[in-house]
Amino acid sequence: MPKTSAEVQGMGHSMKRKEDPRFLRGKGNYVDDVQLPGMLHMDIVRSPFAHAKIKSIKTEAALKVPGVLAVITGETLAKYNLHWMPTLMSDTQMVLPVEKVMYQSQEVAAVIATDRYAAADGVEAVEVEYDPLPVVIDPWEAIKPGAPVLRTDKKGKEDNKIFHWEVGDRSGTDKAFKDAEVTVKQDIYLPRIHVASIETCGCVADFDKVNGKLTVYMTTQAPHAIRTVFALVAGHVGLSEEKIRIIAPDIGGGFGGKVPVYPGYVIAVAASVVIGKPVKWVEDRMENLQADSFARDYHMTAELAAKKDGTITALRIKTLADHGYADAAANPSKFPAGLFSVCTGSYDVKKAFAEVDGVYTNKPPGGIAYRCSFRVTEAAHAIERITDVLAQELKMDPADLRMKNFIKKEQFPYKAALGWEYDSGDYHAALKKAMDKIGYAELRKEQAEKRARGELMGIGICSFTEIVGAGPSKHFDILGIKMFDSAEIRVHPTGKAIARFGTKSQGQGHETTYAQIVAEELGIPAAHVQVEEGDTDTAPYGLGTYASRSTPVAGAAGALAARKIREKAKKIAAHLLEASEEDLVWETGKFSVKGAPGRSKTIQEIAFAAYTNHPQGMEAGLEAISYYDPPNLTFPFGSYICVVDIDRGTGMVKIRRFVAVDDCGNIINPMIVDGQIHGGLTMGMAPALLEEITYDESGNIQGGSFMDYLVPTSMETPSWELDKTTTPSPHHPFGAKGVGESATVGAPPAIANAVVDALSHLGVKHIDIPITPEKVWKILKEKGVAE
Amino acid sequence: MATHRIQITVNGEAKEGQVESRLLLVHFLRENLRLTGTHIGCDTSHCGACTVLLDGQPVKSCTFLAVQADGHQITTVEGLEQNGKLHPVQEGFWEKHGLQCGFCTPGMMLTSCALLNRNRNPSEAEIREAISGNLCRCTGYVNIVKAVQYAAEKLQKEEAHA
Ligand code: FES
Ligand code: FES
């Protein structure tokens, strides 16, 4: 594809970001920056217990604190039937409790005051009396018969099971295992982690009593869906969708954590409606880590069946999914385990079967993504780890084993055993490129020499396949709303444009990349395409930004809306040039008469004519809207190779090198794509080596602040080495696939495989992440090699 | 609650306030002065989103009382641009894509300014160490390092010409 000029800055240009000037000057507008006249502040009383009856809530002392205006409890909300709300997975979740609390740090009451200090004082003064109940923390205990039933609010519920989901050919897979020459089996746990975007969650709810209009400034990745949810949940108290305006201002990182509706938002809205003044709620970091939706918490058992030569014949995975006390996962409605069924990965596996059981425990609700498309990281970890276990069993090089089993380039579009149709790929090329770049053969030699000297060095590979861009509306919806996305473009008389989208950037740079898409399609310089998102009063309806769906879905809508505009522009050009449409040719930014290159009209001239001299019988103006329903998902992929050195004295794992070869199809802005991969790799390393949220048996959270929830700093983060292959998506309007999350999916198994590889000669087959120095040191000690 | 009269020079301008003893500097800047470029990302002094310069030294303004800043000079992100010209550090972050969501960026840039003020030619290791008290969840730090290197070069060039 020829590149547009430096002036136009279409696809493939590393255009500097259009949103940066405001951020660089401290002029971003994040939720906590919103200040409205008369605005009040809300702070939340939280439970110290993981499971307890609420005996009483005394608010008198709090109401005496100077500045405190109101204390809202479950009883207050129950009057309006707003004390419970639905989750995105059609489960229910408390807004504020009336009877009992279900996890430590659960919201118990909210204090409204004139400033945030007074609100915090008020929280201190609220007296709550609890009666502790038996706590169920371990999901394996939770599924045992006789375990205390947690969801006593559900009539007739006699256990803690949420769902059973399965996919694939169970009997065929069982048979393949029975007939197999070799089988391997491994328990793999992906622990609970938290996205911990540097901006926490919050909102300013502003109810205008006179006009009956509710405006909510909110840290949300999906403003339109939120508006509809608010209308559905609070319709019975008079909130009507045309009177609800959700504004997602600048967002300080989302990664999936800003998809759900948290109780705090709902309480702030209720408070503003009742009091008639704007109410701001911004959670602090501990509340964010302790109460917002978590990710992962998948207890998987993965098995592979294979021939002796390494040909994989079948995959079987059984999973117990700990969802906390409510299934508040942010998955498409028909997919309780998300897109976990991409677990056959990059391999041509003929028989596969996967099942997931969801279970309630006394932990915060969730099951959201951590910078990945619905449970894809879990799937990739299972297949990439168990593939290495098989390589070890067969004494085969893990690269050879992968090359042997990869789906071949000519097999695409490829129908996977668990149902997906992979759009395009060239897995051999990506792995080969990564191996060449890192010098794989030499590294293996170095490793052998080091081993002989007793030094611990490992090389880990991960060749992942992602599944993003949800999704075709046949299968994908959230609470019934189909997962299309949208773009609306208006070209002004002077040839400049405004483009609005149904998604919402949280740092991905949409103001730049979307402008480049329009520039590519219309030839209007990206500098003159103003991109707006996040205001439901102005942007077209869309499902939002998560699961790497912005470029695959909304980006496609942008291209198609631009193409509609081009169609109309052609008619106007024909009129202006007094030529027939068939005789016109388009090249970036202008229509010319075939064979008469001097006779042409630029898009700017055409735009002017659209308002000043449009053909008789044609409507004036030059604008279009597109709601794009993708025909299929997109399947980005890549091969990562990680080299680690392990300190025998401390068990510390050091990433010496990390080469990432990504393939996300055609690229809009290479600089931004690299930035996404750098960030994704870092968020992949984080759970691999550092991050984890655990609970003691009383349900006390461990890792509930940045004191012990270890987000990577510049010191642990290596200098990532990137490369790419380009395999366009055949069904996407400009061949893109999406990239924001690939690296988070691909990095953890590469790192885990490298560490296990370093220790494999000692008989180590698997280590659960996070691979902390303590864990490694214990293994070294046990194997007698600690220094 | 006792209140105090304080005087702080913020970005070169004298500012006054009558504040409670417990008021944090970050809230004084954000709420009293409406300089919202200084952000809050944690409650345990770990993230550095709130970093400002106090007499040229980076401090975490979430762990600093407004009254402690009485009589001192504070620089916030809003004070980096001079006469309509971006500071070389701001320019570097833009050129090298050193920011994504922008939330950590003000603190990150002020920490970088302080580093460059004491060391005009820092190595990659020195840059990484200097910014190790500032968390960024988006960028993976690679481009932040490049941004600081860009600024260092630019400052050196400017000085060579001066
Ligand atoms: S807000 Fe995190 S260190 Fe100040
Ligand atoms: S740019 Fe988002 S936290 Fe650094």
Side-chain angles (χ1 to χ4, degrees), chain A residues 13-336:
Chain A
H13 285 276
S14 282
M15 184 188 193
K16 279 202 289 179
R17 296 204 323 169
K18 297 180 67 175
E19 41 274 87
D20 287 356
R22 68 176 183 275
F23 294 133
L24 292 166
R25 293 175 171 87
K27 298 290 182 200
N29 185 36
Y30 302 92
V31 161
D32 202 9
D33 301 342
V34 174
Q35 180 87 25
L36 301 177
M39 189 176 79
L40 304 174
H41 291 259
M42 181 175 105
D43 203 346
I44 291 178
V45 179
R46 290 176 185 274
S47 167
F49 295 101
H51 197 197
K53 266 208 158 56
I54 295 175
K55 284 170 74 180
S56 67
I57 302 178
K58 295 209 179 75
T59 60
E60 296 77 15
L63 287 166
K64 286 202 189 103
V65 171
V68 171
L69 302 176
V71 180
I72 298 176
T73 64
E75 300 285 353
T76 328
L77 296 181
K79 278 187 233 149
Y80 307 94
N81 197 22
L82 283 176
H83 53 312
W84 284 87
M85 63 178 177
T87 71
L88 294 180
M89 298 313 291
S90 302
D91 197 353
T92 51
Q93 169 180 6
M94 285 178 241
V95 179
L96 284 174
V98 173
E99 276 164 32
K100 64 173 189 170
V101 289
M102 296 287 270
Y103 65 94
Q104 189 182 52
S105 292
Q106 186 180 335
E107 299 79 0
V108 172
V111 174
I112 314 292
T114 47
D115 72 79
R116 65 177 85 217
Y117 287 72
D121 290 342
V123 164
E124 289 300 309
V126 173
E127 292 165 39
V128 187
E129 220 185 317
Y130 299 92
D131 207 353
L133 293 164
V135 170
V136 183
I137 286 301
D138 183 347
W140 299 102
E141 293 297 321
I143 48 166
K144 282 191 185 153
V149 177
L150 299 180
R151 293 297 300 263
T152 45
D153 57 289
K154 292 181 187 259
K155 274 204 187 79
K157 184 101 185 108
E158 283 172 357
D159 57 26
N160 294 313
K161 292 183 186 150
I162 310 173
F163 63 83
H164 172 81
W165 168 88
E166 58 177 60
V167 63
D169 174 1
R170 185 196 286 261
S171 60
T173 304
D174 289 350
K175 183 167 181 322
F177 270 88
K178 225 179 270 153
D179 299 344
E181 294 172 6
V182 190
T183 61
V184 287
K185 183 173 184 173
Q186 183 60 55
D187 290 338
I188 301 169
Y189 175 52
L190 284 198
R192 214 167 238 256
I193 50 175
H194 200 288
V195 297
S197 50
I198 303 299
E199 178 200 38
T200 59
C201 296
C203 69
V204 178
D206 181 16
F207 183 67
D208 174 344
K209 274 199 161 148
V210 177
N211 297 307
K213 179 145 185 173
L214 172 71
T215 305
V216 190
Y217 302 82
M218 180 171 171
T219 48
T220 176
Q221 301 176 219
H224 292 276
I226 295 288
R227 184 187 71 195
T228 303
V229 169
F230 276 10
L232 293 175
V233 173
H236 65 284
V237 291
L239 281 183
S240 176
E241 195 163 0
E242 83 283 10
K243 297 273 193 188
I244 303 173
R245 179 183 190 186
I246 307 293
I247 299 176
D250 288 325
I251 306 277
F255 313 114
K258 290 171 180 165
V259 174
V261 178
Y262 294 121
Y265 298 133
V266 180
I267 309 168
V269 168
S272 180
V273 171
V274 171
I275 300 171
K277 286 200 171 163
V279 174
K280 179 187 273 188
W281 167 69
V282 177
E283 64 185 7
D284 66 28
R285 174 59 58 193
M286 291 197 236
E287 296 178 289
N288 171 262
L289 289 174
Q290 295 177 13
D292 287 2
S293 291
F294 68 91
R296 316 275 164 81
D297 222 344
Y298 256 34
H299 298 258
M300 305 180 284
T301 303
E303 296 172 88
L304 278 182
K307 293 190 195 154
K308 280 207 187 90
D309 70 355
T311 308
I312 297 171
T313 53
L315 167 75
R316 192 161 56 192
I317 306 183
K318 191 171 168 55
T319 296
L320 187 63
D322 183 345
H323 278 257
Y325 97 89
D327 187 3
N331 290 327
S333 299
K334 294 193 193 78
F335 297 84

Side-chain angles (χ1 to χ4, degrees), chain A residues 387-629:
Chain A
T387 299
D388 262 37
V389 174
L390 177 65
Q392 207 173 330
E393 175 74 23
L394 293 169
K395 302 198 170 43
M396 243 178 116
D397 186 290
D400 294 341
L401 182 63
R402 284 178 169 78
M403 290 288 195
K404 187 171 190 79
N405 287 287
F406 277 152
I407 299 158
K408 294 184 192 68
K409 193 176 161 187
E410 50 286 0
Q411 285 176 276
F412 291 94
Y414 171 81
K415 186 91 179 164
L418 295 181
W420 302 112
E421 186 181 290
Y422 292 12
D423 58 349
S424 62
D426 187 351
Y427 301 154
H428 293 88
L431 179 53
K432 167 126 191 5
K433 195 160 201 176
M435 290 169 74
D436 290 347
K437 190 173 172 98
I438 207 158
Y440 189 74
E442 296 86 83
L443 283 169
R444 283 288 173 208
K445 249 186 252 152
E446 182 194 337
Q447 184 188 33
E449 287 161 21
K450 289 213 156 135
R451 252 183 208 174
R453 292 201 299 269
E455 290 171 42
L456 299 174
M457 162 193 170
I459 307 154
I461 303 176
C462 167
S463 296
F464 64 91
T465 291
E466 259 207 303
I467 173 169
V468 307
S473 63
K474 245 192 313 182
H475 305 297
F476 290 90
D477 67 84
I478 287 185
L479 294 176
I481 307 166
K482 302 293 190 185
M483 292 183 74
F484 57 82
D485 226 293
S486 62
E488 180 194 45
I489 305 171
R490 298 183 191 167
V491 183
H492 306 317
T494 54
K496 317 290 195 284
I498 185 161
R500 294 190 169 109
F501 293 78
T503 45
K504 175 64 205 173
S505 177
Q506 311 122 41
Q508 294 90 334
H510 292 174
E511 285 168 51
T512 308
T513 51
Y514 285 164
Q516 289 183 269
I517 294 171
V518 176
E520 176 73 28
E521 298 289 340
L522 290 180
I524 298 171
H528 291 305
V529 180
Q530 173 78 16
V531 170
E532 290 183 2
E533 306 174 284
D535 181 342
T536 57
D537 266 10
T538 56
Y541 202 100
L543 272 277
T545 294
Y546 42 86
S548 292
R549 65 189 298 280
S550 298
T551 296
V553 194
L560 294 190
R563 287 174 197 177
K564 286 187 194 172
I565 287 175
R566 215 158 68 194
E567 280 308 302
K568 180 165 182 185
K570 193 178 196 180
K571 291 194 169 58
I572 299 173
H575 162 74
L576 296 176
L577 292 164
E578 295 175 352
S580 86
E581 277 183 59
E582 295 80 67
D583 289 339
L584 296 184
V585 283
W586 170 261
E587 57 187 303
T588 309
K590 64 173 190 247
F591 278 109
S592 319
V593 180
K594 245 181 252 163
R599 281 179 65 204
S600 64
K601 286 288 168 193
T602 64
I603 186 77
Q604 286 79 11
E605 289 168 319
I606 297 167
F608 195 67
Y611 296 88
T612 58
N613 177 24
H614 57 284
Q616 285 295 312
M618 180 191 274
E619 285 183 23
L622 195 55
E623 55 188 65
I625 186 161
S626 167
Y627 288 85
Y628 184 72
D629 182 359

Side-chain angles (χ1 to χ4, degrees), chain A residues 17 30 116-117 691 714, chain B residues 27 31 100-101 128 137:
Chain A
R17 296 204 323 169
Y30 302 92
R116 65 177 85 217
Y117 287 72
E691 294 172 9
S714 53
Chain B
H27 288 139
E31 283 170 23
Q100 291 182 23
C101 78
R128 283 183 179 270
R137 198 57 156 163

Side-chain angles (χ1 to χ4, degrees), chain A residues 198 285 706, chain B residues 26 39-51 59-63 133 135:
Chain A
I198 303 299
R285 174 59 58 193
F706 276 169
Chain B
V26 68
H39 299 147
I40 302 170
C42 74
D43 27 37
T44 49
S45 301
H46 281 84
C47 77
C50 60
T51 307
V59 296
K60 290 180 170 171
S61 63
C62 72
T63 322
L135 296 177

